[in-house]
Amino acid sequence: MYRTNAMICTCTNCISNGSLQVKEALEAEILKQGLQEEVQVVPTGASGLCVRGPILMVQPEGIFYQLLKKEDVAYLVKEHFLKGRPVKSLMYYPPGEETPIPKMMDIPFFKDQRLIALRNRGVIDPEKIEEYIARGGYMALSKALTSMTPEEVIQEIKASGLRGRGGAGFPTGLKWELCRKAEGEPKYVICNADEGDPGAFMDRSIIEADPHSILEGMAIGAYAIGACEGYVYVRIEYPLAMERMKKAVEQAKEYGLLGSDIFGTGFNFEVKIFRGAGAFVCGEETSLIASIEGKAPEPRMKPPYPIQSGLWGKPTNINNVETWANIPVIINWGAKPFSQMGTETSKGTKVFSLAGKINNAGLVEVPMGITLRKMIYEIGGGIPNGKRFKAVQTGGPSGGCIPESLLDLPVDYEELAKAGSIMGSGGMIVMDENTCMIDVAKYFLTFLDGESCGRCSSCREGISAMLEIVTNITEGRGREEDIDFLQELGAVVKDVSLCGLGQTASNPVLSTIRYFRDEYLAHIREKRCPAGVCKELIRYSIDPERCSGCLACVKACPTEAIVGEKEEPQSINQDKCIKCGACLEACKFEAVIVK
Ligand SMILES: Cc1cc2nc3c(=O)[nH]c(=O)nc-3n(C[C@H](O)[C@H](O)[C@H](O)COP(=O)(O)O)c2cc1C
Ligand code: SF4
Ligand code: SF4
Ligand code: FES
């Protein structure tokens, strides 16, 4: 029994910020101080405030340390673990404040979260099944197998109101029921862990922090549906998630929680792990199934749906990582407490990855129906550097941009759709006043243009055409009639394309026209980019009144375009300026002007 647990995050973000070196240093220092019988170092999954990583949480007190470096460790161990004096300088300071918040649960980022899918994040070692079991893991599977019929399990999931978290929001219990009733044997279950949205890491974090929650959900689903084989399809770029999932499968097998005759009930269930084929469209369910079958990962026409004819032509139930991770909790709690959370049509919680121009970038799980304002300002800590909020893009690359006037929108499937966006899998990119919305539309169209599998001409040609027009607008060649044409073309691509990629690809363009038409018009009529982003439409200059001649911009400029004497106002040679913005970043006197 240890007096203290030092829970260090060893998920991808924190590892890339040096958490493994911090862990090594911690172990060495604890040994050096002779504390190895009292303090245990536990590698965990992400706590969620990834922007502040590497993160260390000290239990049982719940003290939260952030932005740790291995050089901090000797002092931290001596002060906190040896002398019992928590180290203030390594704690979390809210932006602009001088007093730290020592305890994790007092930090606004964590306070309003409600953890279901992420229930074990940061509190267990994801590579030890015993720790999952100690937190009630596999109890739901035992309950389902030993005291519920498959139909009762399906009924419970239906009553909970759980909808698929992978994007489309299809009711999970209904999908299971349709799959159970579908003709054909054997049946399969699949976990979709392809997560191709740029910047999204919800599913990766769930697997890295708590892989057994997914396996347990899948085993329950397999029992309900009548499947005895499952696949986890993991995005190729997620090696750590893949490794943790593999370990989890091996351990569950050793414990008899996967394999034959689970809990002596005669129920058999095996899980195989499959590496993704590396394209965004692989996450589309029919494409994913083709990929497992060894075919080119291209979407096909539906119907038949996978529940009718999926893997190897057999009924297949495919759910997202987060959907599966919710299942054990619903079975343990019963449907009611889950269905009491959220809105009329969207129950439970949702995991979002908060990214972009936001102070507390990271992973959050909140009840459905929370307002965007609360997400961005209370949990997310607002916009950095006192800048103004401009828009938030929800739903991944084919989501829409929602403006400031809709900040009080409750986040659920229907409300987001009404606003011209989608829930998607939970990506949320916050943009500040310095973001050009036409440039944003161009960015997502560029991504989707590269990822369209090219089968449908509407998607292949339509996205390219929209991209060309939007590019023209950002480069000063836009015409006023382009706006109407983009709207018409966007509607056609939406209606005619075969899979969700094409069907949603117009959202970034349509939503930015809907809410930021003035910005399109400024680019087209005045050849001006109000946010100062579109290079062809802007010009950098230096205000001689404000310039102190400190030469910081001169050093920053990669093309030696800034000239002038020291301590005299500088000027920019427009022929040499490549509009990289380095001078703007470097100047502390706000002397660089972008027009
Ligand atoms: C282009 C495209 C990419 C998709 N990528 C994913 C993905 O990475 N993960 C995911 O769970 N669903 C993804 N989906 C949705 C899946 O097709 C499917 O609806 C989902 O896996 C079903 O699980 P759910 O009911 O639990 O949401 C994608 C859909 C499209 C059209
Ligand atoms: S909509 Fe696009 S990505 Fe989807 S099948 Fe058609 S061409 Fe491929
Ligand atoms: S960094 Fe700003 S103040 Fe300094 S020389 Fe450049 S423009 Fe002038
Ligand atoms: S990866 Fe460590 S807190 Fe997110």
Side-chain angles (χ1 to χ4, degrees), residues 281 299 452-456 459-460 497-499 501-502:
V281 85
S452 164
C453 79
R455 268 189 81 182
C456 322
C459 174
R460 186 184 65 232
S497 298
L498 188 136
C499 86
L501 190 153

Side-chain angles (χ1 to χ4, degrees), residues 22 44 91 189 194 281 365-366 387 409 425 447 521 549 552 574:
V22 173
T44 69
M91 291 174 184
V189 292
D194 197 51
V281 85
E365 183 173 3
V366 287
K387 296 253 167 83
L409 189 88
S425 55
F447 174 82
L521 289 174
Q574 297 298 328

